[in-house]
Amino acid sequence: QVQLVESGGGLVQAGGSLRISCVASGRTFSWFTVGWFRQAPGKEREFVGGINRSGNNIYYPDSVKGRFTISRDNAKNTAYLQMNSLKPEDTAVYYCAAKLVVELSTYTDYDYWGQGTQVTVSS
C-alpha cells in the first residue's frame, strides 16, 4: 500500500533541535493518518504523536507537547517531526507509521512502518 522511509536522525546536544523526515511512496499519501513513535534500548515503543490527513489536526502526548512539532507536506509525500529542546531521554530510534483510520490520538491501528532513524541526544 505505502512504503515509508525515515531520515534526518543523528547526534545533537541537549537543548538542541533536529528535524526528521518520513518520505512515503506507493499509495496516495494524503489518504493516511501519520504517526510518530520512538523506542529506546530496553524500553517499549512510545507514541510521540499523530497528524491527520490534511495536516490541520495534530495530537501530542504530554511527554513531548510544547517541544515537538509534527507536520506534513502531501505534495512532497513527506511528514516531519521537528524536535526542539531535546533531552538525553529523547534518545531513541524514531519511526513513522501510517494508517487509513482517521483517529489520531491513539497509537493503535498503524499498519505501515518505516525502518527508523536514530536520534541521539548528548548531555
Side-chain angles (χ1 to χ4, degrees):
Q1 288 260 39
V2 63
Q3 295 78 45
L4 306 171
V5 179
E6 301 94 337
S7 64
L11 177 65
V12 62
Q13 66 180 15
S17 299
L18 196 67
R19 188 179 76 164
I20 57 177
S21 302
C22 173
V23 178
S25 61
R27 202 73 179 270
T28 304
F29 183 58
S30 61
W31 294 356
F32 292 89
T33 297
V34 174
W36 284 96
F37 297 78
R38 65 186 181 186
Q39 189 165 26
K43 300 183 68 176
E44 66 183 23
R45 186 169 293 173
E46 179 186 9
F47 182 49
V48 175
I51 186 168
N52 72 341
R53 295 171 178 178
S54 65
N56 66 346
N57 194 19
I58 307 167
Y59 170 80
Y60 306 98
D62 290 341
S63 60
V64 304
K65 191 177 298 181
R67 299 191 299 121
F68 289 10
T69 302
I70 297 171
S71 61
R72 68 191 296 166
D73 185 342
N74 288 336
K76 296 181 178 180
N77 296 326
T78 303
Y80 304 95
L81 177 62
Q82 175 70 45
M83 298 177 285
N84 299 325
S85 301
L86 282 163
K87 307 172 182 179
E89 52 263 43
D90 294 319
T91 296
V93 177
Y94 283 73
Y95 300 88
C96 65
K99 62 180 179 180
L100 289 172
V101 178
V102 172
E103 208 282 324
L104 74 156
S105 63
T106 67
Y107 59 86
T108 56
D109 300 314
Y110 283 94
D111 302 307
Y112 308 100
W113 293 81
Q115 84 291 343
T117 186
Q118 176 71 45
V119 173
T120 302
V121 184
S122 62
S123 301

